[in-house]
Amino acid sequence: MLLHRSTDEGASWYAPVVVNADPEAVSAEGENRPKVAFTTDGGVLVSWTRPLTKRFAGEIRLARSDDGRRFGTPITVHRDRQEITHRFETMAITGQGQVVVAWIDKRDLEASLAEKRDYRGAAIYAALSDDGGRSFRPEVKVGDHSCECCRIAIANDTDGLPLILWRHLFEPNERDHALAKLGADGLPGGVRRATFDRWRVDGCPHHGPSLAVAADGTRHAVWFNERDGEGRVFYGRLQDGRVEAQRTVGGERAAHADIAVSDKRIAIVWKEFDGERTRLRADVSEDGGAQFRSMELAVTAGASDQPRVLRRGALLFAFWRTENEGMKGYWLR
């Protein structure tokens, strides 16, 4: 696996750096791909899922570099070593400088099958590191009954503690989203329902959410659900027990939206296929989400990755990798 670095917003790139000196399998498709984070002591972290021999089995791996050029030997984040699902990890740095990694885990499903008990979906587990990703505390269960293959969103709350948002299986089979918060001790609070579209489907849509928290505590999110028989990307502000200002994002083929916040500015980016080419589009709000203006950032005729919107200081920046155009960034002004 290689790490690419750019210091000019993607206009040019340094020679790639090898992350794992000893080659191993790496999941790098769809909702499951490596992540990058920067620690408060200047370290660079890369996390990924290593698939194992058994179908859908994997383990969460992480490597650290002190200078962004030489990486140490990767570690496995979790203590559980069963050859089962530990996949679809996400990673963030908390306001206290801890590293948090969360993932989809099927140890509780496996235990239920062995005991011939019913169990819906998988579970969300998480682990904290107090030393910049060099080691991790024992993992804890955040919540039972997650969807099996949708990416997990993570963002710091105003107190610096991590909020985790994922697609959840609510009884009997509604695949909406749930939210939980980890405390400073790494232990989770209660699981709360975050979206209320009530999509009843017996399968995973492989389409996870994104979450950003504004300075005033407003929780802005984008997600994909089916509502009134139509599958769409939605934006809304997550409140306790309800969603405020829910609206659709893009057209009928909008997919894999991402969101970031800078003060009152909110940026949503997504890709959308028009039947011939795929377009990178964005909605930007200057007033905390009351109004949005739309723009088109790029277009490609070839294959493309899922876009991301990044924050650099007070500025927001969209990143998109395509087969024909390569890795490029676009300022959201």
Side-chain angles (χ1 to χ4, degrees):
M1 182 164 49
L2 303 177
L3 175 72
H4 294 260
R5 297 172 61 245
S6 172
T7 56
D8 56 9
E9 292 79 48
S12 61
W13 297 86
Y14 289 96
V17 174
V18 175
V19 175
N20 51 320
D22 295 326
E24 62 182 58
V26 175
S27 292
E29 77 289 329
E31 297 275 273
N32 195 13
R33 73 271 308 288
K35 317 296 188 303
V36 178
F38 303 93
T39 64
T40 54
D41 64 358
V44 180
L45 304 180
V46 178
S47 69
W48 66 94
T49 297
R50 175 165 69 180
L52 302 176
T53 303
K54 187 177 178 182
R55 191 183 185 199
F56 302 134
E59 57 186 12
I60 309 305
R61 304 279 281 166
L62 183 141
R64 176 188 163 98
S65 171
D66 292 335
D67 58 8
R69 294 173 175 82
R70 292 174 297 277
F71 280 84
T73 303
I75 64 172
T76 299
V77 171
H78 42 86
R79 307 289 177 92
D80 182 62
R81 291 295 195 271
Q82 299 178 77
E83 191 173 351
I84 61 171
T85 291
H86 314 89
R87 303 168 70 215
F88 296 90
E89 93 291 339
T90 189
M91 176 172 55
I93 310 300
T94 73
Q96 289 74 33
Q98 297 168 305
V99 182
V100 58
V101 179
W103 63 90
I104 295 173
D105 195 302
K106 286 190 176 179
R107 70 185 73 178
D108 298 280
L109 170 63
E110 296 291 338
S112 295
L113 291 175
E115 297 170 5
K116 297 182 179 181
R117 294 184 288 107
D118 289 336
Y119 189 91
R120 302 187 314 278
I124 303 297
Y125 274 73
L128 280 180
S129 170
D130 302 303
D131 57 7
R134 297 175 180 87
S135 64
F136 281 81
R137 301 184 194 181
E139 61 266 28
V140 297
K141 180 164 59 175
V142 178
D144 288 297
H145 311 308
S146 71
C147 198
E148 300 91 337
C149 301
C150 284
R151 78 184 189 216
I152 305 166
I154 189 167
N156 287 339
D157 208 349
T158 52
D159 57 6
L161 297 176
L163 292 163
I164 301 173
L165 177 69
W166 69 91
R167 188 181 299 278
H168 191 84
L169 275 70
F170 294 95
E171 292 190 58
N173 66 336
E174 293 180 352
R175 297 201 181 221
D176 261 301
H177 295 83
L179 185 73
K181 185 173 181 176
L182 297 185
D185 56 2
L187 299 179
V191 174
R192 298 185 178 183
R193 188 166 186 153
T195 64
F196 303 85
D197 302 315
R198 306 195 180 281
W199 186 13
R200 297 195 173 194
V201 57
D202 291 319
C204 178
H206 289 258
H207 210 141
S210 181
L211 175 68
V213 181
D216 64 1
T218 303
R219 298 169 179 177
H220 301 272
V222 287
W223 66 93
F224 180 88
N225 259 359
E226 181 178 291
R227 189 172 185 179
D228 299 326
E230 184 177 21
R232 296 293 295 269
V233 173
F234 294 99
Y235 159 80
R237 299 190 285 273
L238 306 183
Q239 307 282 344
D240 288 338
R242 63 188 177 90
V243 178
E244 182 182 72
Q246 183 168 337
R247 56 182 286 272
T248 58
V249 173
E252 294 179 357
R253 296 184 176 182
H256 300 294
D258 196 30
I259 191 168
V261 173
S262 175
D263 195 20
K264 290 288 187 179
R265 298 196 81 221
I266 304 167
I268 303 168
V269 299
W270 71 94
K271 66 178 187 177
E272 190 166 343
F273 185 60
D274 66 7
E276 295 183 357
R277 297 186 296 175
T278 302
R279 301 179 181 276
L280 176 64
R281 299 188 57 81
D283 277 357
V284 177
S285 173
E286 308 290 348
D287 56 9
Q291 296 180 326
F292 285 88
R293 54 185 172 88
S294 298
M295 63 184 75
E296 183 170 301
L297 302 174
V299 63
T300 187
S304 63
D305 201 354
Q306 299 179 12
R308 292 291 180 265
V309 55
L310 309 174
R311 178 175 171 175
R312 182 177 179 182
L315 302 176
L316 298 174
F317 182 80
F319 177 81
W320 197 32
R321 183 172 188 173
T322 64
E323 179 183 26
N324 296 340
E325 294 78 19
M327 298 182 290
K328 289 192 174 183
Y330 308 87
W331 288 111
L332 297 168
R333 303 189 189 279

